[in-house]
Amino acid sequence: MRIVSLVPSLTEAVASSVPGALVGATDWCSHPAGLDVTRIGGTKNPRVDRIVALAPDLVIANEEENREPDLAALRAAGLEVLVTDVRDVPQAFAELARVLRACGAPSRPQWLDEAEEAWAAPPSLTRRRTAVVPVWRRPWMVLGRDTFAGDVLARLGVDQLYAGHAERYPRIPVGELLAAAPDLVVLPDEPYRFTADDGPEAFPGLPCALLSGRHLTWYGPSLAEAPKVLGEALRAAHR
């Protein structure tokens, strides 16, 4: 099998489970370290011509991370495209199993079993907290309804305040975020790279949890350690 991945988390999953199958991946596919494949551009602006030239048996994509016009162009070029749809943790496990089967994995990988076990009873905060979860600034955007990251946080004891918003990633002025009076502000390091010096200063007086975006938003081998990594960062924000 020759596989091109348009999704960083799927790239890591396939590379870890079907060695040698990947021939192309996006510029944002940073795991596993040292991955040596042809780079085909970004998730939102892949080089269709470069993908076609790789003659893959399958292109793997995601309905949120990739644009339909690009996927349509790949199909028009005669390529098979598998599109995942992941809105919560159980769906992530189901879609990962589907992708790995399609990519020719000889058996179910051990990391997938370990990830399901880790999420069967993840460590939760001692009491549930409310949070706003910015994913971008200039303008400020936060997690809204029906997101994988929102489900991850809910399973760890964090209820994000815009989970009922009509949009999945609404633009909310920072003044409104402050007025919502969350217990906690969750600041991941992707897609916007929030840091200790870029983000917390906008929320004076509120505890801020700086989280690994890979553990919060990726569905792949990182899921096995995500409950522990994220849980520690959330608890640290309240010390």
Side-chain angles (χ1 to χ4, degrees):
M1 290 285 286
R2 293 173 60 83
I3 309 297
V4 169
S5 172
L6 303 183
V7 186
S9 55
L10 294 180
T11 295
E12 183 178 18
V14 173
S16 300
S17 308
V18 196
L22 275 175
V23 295
T26 75
D27 299 343
W28 298 104
C29 293
S30 57
H31 289 73
L35 181 66
D36 184 17
V37 297
T38 299
R39 300 294 173 161
I40 50 78
T43 58
K44 303 297 186 188
N45 56 347
R47 289 280 303 276
V48 172
D49 57 342
R50 189 171 294 175
I51 297 171
V52 172
L54 289 171
D57 298 300
L58 182 66
V59 178
I60 51 178
N62 174 263
E63 55 84 30
E64 179 179 345
E65 293 198 49
N66 307 119
R67 301 185 315 127
E68 179 55 35
D70 296 319
L71 304 183
L74 291 169
R75 294 190 184 98
L79 300 183
E80 182 178 353
V81 181
L82 185 159
V83 183
T84 58
D85 182 4
V86 176
R87 305 294 177 94
D88 57 36
V89 172
Q91 194 174 23
F93 292 135
E95 289 287 66
L96 282 165
R98 181 169 74 102
V99 166
L100 294 175
R101 285 194 303 269
C103 291
S107 60
R108 183 180 170 90
Q110 182 177 347
W111 64 259
L112 189 52
D113 289 333
E114 292 172 351
E116 289 209 53
E117 183 178 350
W119 281 101
S124 183
L125 298 178
T126 54
R127 69 173 180 86
R128 298 196 71 83
R129 310 277 181 166
T130 60
V132 293
V133 190
V135 294
W136 203 259
R137 69 182 301 178
R138 305 182 191 94
W140 288 94
M141 298 175 66
V142 300
L143 289 186
R145 64 169 180 84
D146 199 21
T147 66
F148 173 72
D151 185 63
V152 165
L153 290 170
R155 291 169 188 272
L156 297 175
V158 177
D159 299 312
Q160 46 109 359
L161 290 177
Y162 291 91
H165 197 280
E167 298 176 25
R168 296 183 69 199
Y169 299 97
R171 296 185 180 190
I172 309 291
V174 70
E176 290 186 27
L177 299 180
L178 290 167
D183 298 322
L184 176 69
V185 179
V186 172
L187 298 170
D189 62 11
E190 64 176 72
Y192 185 91
R193 189 172 182 79
F194 288 106
T195 67
D197 300 320
D198 185 356
E201 80 289 344
F203 302 94
L206 288 175
C208 292
L210 294 166
L211 301 190
S212 159
R214 175 169 168 262
H215 291 96
L216 179 63
T217 65
W218 288 33
Y219 42 95
S222 59
L223 278 171
E225 60 185 13
K228 180 176 184 293
V229 172
L230 297 175
E232 289 176 351
L234 290 167
R235 287 189 290 275
H238 285 279
R239 288 175 187 162

